[in-house]
């Protein structure tokens, strides 16, 4: 069975009209005829580090299972064995960050490598600057990760020079090609020139790959420094992104710790890293948006940050003195939650997130796809709609998550489900279990066949609740009044069960999704002090129903039974009648006990 990916996330049908100006005619045509409306990319960079180091791709069975492919990358099995020796999840988090992060020696070695490149480039360029950026600088790097390097030569943003052919190192060195023209070569031509220069001065290089992506890059390996390098030209946007993440990391130490865990989760799960997957920056912004929308917020809107930070305004990566001076303007967050608490909250937040909305880290908010209006001042980008949409905080017409295809979006969804279900498992923090804590967070990618098999196997769910007066009517009110489900009370035969007593049996049909997007809907009513907590939840559901574009299709159907066991123990049993991702069941396991407390 083929699921439309948006309906997989939200159980909301999408029509062509929902996209408005966001899609081209071709995209609309693709969407209407297929579950996948993204433009397919036909190249990949998987195992590229083995290719540039050894000259070939190794046999798959000999590749150690690491989230990075560098020589210093830590094996996942070794990392998990160390985490299993910890005595708590919080201790696991500390050990994880210590084991996975780049060491001071790693950073020094990368700096030395860049200096060696500078010595080579001095021969050919009259004016240039070489930047390290990305994970090596923003504090989010893993051992064995590649080094991002940017060559800047066109400092005045003049028009690029077009040549008939790529100049040779000799022509550049002897200034047969005018030096001012060399400095303004188109990035793709510049990279081809750099490749020739590197082959000339570092003859033991096996291969230098030229990747024709949105931002073309060279990929190569330095044997002397044991460094894998992603080399680009004029990547000013990437440098500014690096500065943003670096600044946020110093603003609140929970951000880099949480981001490393989430990025590792995505890389190990097989949906972060490659061309058709989510990139690391997108997942960092996923964490940024999450922390911005906590109550109270942990991180400020990027627009506010950029307006007050001279460091970001000047786009001078190495000016750390100015960065620390800027940080004095931002008081610490009043939110005292730990990384352990935030980690769990992250997964449940995005499991029931409304993916028909565009996340906007620039304003710490989100808007519906239909409300999006392109920025007329930014003509360089066009917002490409995808399953998950994050607006670049500096380029409003650019969707940071435009790249991932249907397959990896489904991996993302399934991994969210797996982790949330693991948290609801009683063994999550049981240190005596074979797998517990972070080991249950990190899961290998599954085939689509296995994913659907997992979904089909999760029809029955049990929720333990505390005894309290009039519990049956309260539970019924949660389904009918709070969540607006269509529920019919079923007849309970006498002596139906010998070891338990059925207090309530409901047949529920759900025609409106009132569990995705409750966070943004709550913002509309949170300031209304006249509403009781139960009324607030009711109006949140009404708001979600009013925004629904399909109120006739059956979204879900299940039987709910409330049973009383010996010693007054109460359980709610949910038996679903369809083979869908058990998102609703996971939501109800959290929502029902929490809502019973506010009666």
């Amino acid at each position: 069975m083929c699921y439309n990916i948006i309906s997989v996330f939200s159980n909301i049908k999408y029509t062509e009209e929902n996209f408005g100006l966001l899609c081209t005619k071709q995209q609309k045509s693709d969407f209407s005829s297929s579950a996948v409306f993204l433009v397919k990319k036909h190249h990949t960079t998987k195992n590229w580090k083995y290719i540039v180091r050894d000259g070939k791709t190794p046999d798959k069975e000999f590749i150690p299972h690491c989230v990075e492919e560098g020589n210093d990358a830590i094996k996942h099995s070794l990392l998990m064995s160390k985490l299993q020796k910890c005595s708590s999840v919080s201790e696991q988090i500390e050990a994880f960050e210590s084991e996975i992060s780049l060491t001071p020696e790693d950073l020094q070695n990368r700096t030395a490598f860049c200096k060696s490149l500078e010595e080579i480039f001095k021969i050919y360029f009259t004016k240039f600057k070489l930047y390290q950026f990305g994970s090596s600088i923003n504090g989010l790097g893993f051992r064995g990760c590649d080094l991002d390097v940017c060559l800047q030569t066109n400092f005045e943003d003049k028009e690029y020079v077009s040549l008939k052919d790529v100049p040779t190192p000799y022509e550049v060195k002897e200034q047969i090609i005018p030096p001012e023209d060399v400095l303004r070569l188109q990035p793709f031509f510049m990279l081809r020139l750099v490749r020739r220069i590197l082959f000339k001065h570092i003859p033991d290089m096996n291969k230098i790959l030229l990747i024709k992506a949105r931002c073309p890059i060279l990929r190569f390996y330095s044997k002397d420094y044991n460094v894998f390098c992603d080399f680009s030209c004029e990547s000013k946007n990437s440098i500014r992104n690096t500065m943003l993440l670096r600044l946020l990391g110093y603003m609140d130490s929970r951000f880099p710790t949480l981001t490393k865990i989430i990025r590792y989760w995505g890389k190990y799960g097989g949906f972060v890293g490659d061309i058709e997957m989510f990139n690391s920056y997108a997942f960092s912004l996923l964490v940024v948006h999450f922390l911005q929308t906590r109550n109270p917020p942990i991180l400020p809107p990027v627009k506010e940050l950029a307006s007050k930070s001279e460091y970001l305004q000047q786009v001078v990566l190495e000016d750390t003195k100015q960065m620390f001076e800027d940080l004095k303007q931002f008081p610490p967050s009043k939110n005292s939650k730990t990384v352990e608490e935030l980690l769990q909250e992250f997964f449940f937040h995005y499991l029931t997130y409304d993916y028909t909305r565009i996340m906007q880290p620039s304003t710490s908010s989100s808007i519906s796809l239909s409300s999006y209006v392109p920025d007329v001042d930014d003509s360089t980008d066009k917002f490409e709609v995808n399953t998950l949409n994050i607006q670049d905080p500096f380029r409003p017409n650019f969707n940071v998550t435009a790249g991932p295809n249907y397959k990896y979006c489904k991996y993302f969804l399934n991994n969210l489900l797996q982790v949330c279900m693991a948290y609801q498992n009683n063994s999550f923090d049981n240190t005596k279990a074979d797998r517990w804590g972070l080991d249950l967070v990190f899961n290998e990618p599954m085939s689509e066949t296995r994913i659907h098999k997992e979904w089909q196997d999760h029809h029955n769910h049990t929720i333990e609740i505390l005894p309290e007066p009039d519990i049956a009517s309260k539970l019924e009110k949660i389904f009918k009044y709070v969540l607006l489900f269509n529920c019919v009370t079923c007849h309970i035969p006498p002596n139906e069960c010998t070891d338990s007593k059925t207090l309530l049996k409901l047949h529920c049909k759900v025609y409106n999704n009132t569990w995705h997007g409750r966070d943004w809907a709550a913002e509309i009513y949170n300031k209304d002090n006249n509403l009781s907590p139960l009324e607030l939840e009711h109006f949140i559901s009404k708001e979600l129903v009013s925004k629904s574009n399909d109120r006739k299709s059956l979204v879900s159907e299940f039987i709910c039974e409330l049973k009383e066991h010996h010693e007054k123990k109460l359980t709610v049993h949910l038996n679903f009648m369809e083979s869908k991702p058990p998102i609703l069941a996971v939501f109800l396991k959290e929502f029902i006990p929490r809502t019973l407390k506010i009666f």
Side-chain angles (χ1 to χ4, degrees), residues 392-408:
D392 190 291
F394 301 113
R395 299 157 63 191
N397 289 348
F398 179 60
N399 181 8
V400 181
T401 48
N405 66 18
Y406 171 80
K407 172 183 175 181
Y408 298 113

Side-chain angles (χ1 to χ4, degrees), residues 285-317:
L285 288 185
L286 204 63
V287 178
V288 170
H289 183 73
F290 167 73
L291 295 179
Q292 288 175 332
T293 53
R294 298 308 88 205
N295 186 20
I298 294 175
L299 295 178
V302 175
K303 183 178 288 187
E304 177 189 342
L305 199 61
S307 67
K308 295 181 179 180
S309 171
E310 291 187 27
Y311 174 67
L312 289 180
Q313 293 168 12
Q314 295 171 359
V315 196
V316 181
L317 185 60

Side-chain angles (χ1 to χ4, degrees), residues 536-558:
L536 173 62
E537 296 295 343
H538 168 72
F539 279 104
I540 289 172
S541 296
K542 287 190 69 174
E543 179 66 23
L544 293 172
V545 170
S546 70
K547 300 297 183 183
S548 173
N549 54 13
D550 184 5
R551 306 183 189 181
K552 296 181 180 180
S553 298
L554 186 66
V555 176
S556 184
E557 184 177 4
F558 61 92

Side-chain angles (χ1 to χ4, degrees), residues 15-211:
T15 60
E16 188 172 308
E17 289 75 16
N18 290 116
F19 289 94
L21 299 174
L22 297 175
C23 293
T24 63
K25 289 183 179 180
Q26 180 61 43
Q27 286 174 314
K28 289 180 180 180
S29 173
D30 292 343
F31 178 78
S32 61
S33 61
S34 170
V36 187
F37 64 94
L38 304 176
V39 177
K40 289 284 187 181
K41 300 178 179 66
H42 299 288
H43 59 284
T44 180
T45 57
K46 189 174 182 180
N47 295 328
W48 71 269
K49 294 177 182 177
Y50 294 94
I51 297 172
V52 298
R53 185 189 63 195
D54 306 327
K56 62 179 182 178
T57 303
D59 191 326
K60 188 175 181 180
E61 64 181 273
F62 294 112
I63 302 175
H65 202 152
C66 311
V67 300
E68 299 290 352
E69 295 172 331
N71 295 347
D72 300 329
I74 184 170
K75 289 184 180 180
H76 179 78
S77 57
L78 177 60
L79 177 61
M80 291 303 104
S81 67
K82 292 184 177 182
L83 297 187
Q84 289 294 87
K85 296 176 183 177
C86 297
S87 58
S88 65
V89 175
S90 59
E91 189 177 322
Q92 279 189 331
I93 291 172
E94 291 181 14
F96 169 85
E97 188 166 28
S98 174
E99 292 291 335
I100 205 74
S101 300
L102 288 168
T103 65
E105 292 75 22
D106 292 330
L107 298 176
Q108 290 173 9
N109 182 61
R110 289 164 182 245
T111 300
F113 167 69
C114 287
K115 289 187 180 298
S116 71
L117 291 182
E118 288 176 346
E119 292 302 315
I120 295 173
F121 293 152
K122 285 178 182 178
I123 302 172
Y124 300 96
F125 304 118
T126 56
K127 186 179 181 182
F128 74 94
K129 194 168 184 64
L130 208 60
Y131 292 97
Q132 288 187 63
F133 68 96
S135 299
S136 299
I137 299 299
N138 62 28
L140 303 175
F142 295 160
R143 285 168 52 187
C145 70
D146 53 288
L147 169 63
D148 296 302
V149 177
C150 171
L151 173 66
Q152 184 179 3
T153 57
N154 189 4
F155 291 92
E156 298 176 4
D157 292 328
K158 294 182 179 179
E159 287 189 16
Y160 290 120
V161 172
S162 298
L163 300 178
K164 289 185 178 180
D165 198 4
V166 180
T168 65
Y170 175 80
E171 290 173 327
V172 174
K173 181 181 177 182
E174 299 300 323
Q175 298 190 358
I176 297 172
I177 306 294
E180 59 272 16
D181 288 352
V182 173
L183 298 180
R184 291 162 51 206
L185 281 176
Q186 292 178 346
F188 191 69
F189 266 50
M190 180 64 81
L191 289 178
R192 293 172 67 186
L193 169 61
V194 169
R195 182 165 63 173
R196 291 181 174 184
I197 292 172
L198 292 177
F199 273 133
K200 177 178 176 61
H201 289 269
I202 314 176
D204 62 343
M205 280 193 176
N206 276 315
K207 285 191 177 182
I208 301 178
L209 303 181
L210 177 56
I211 309 298

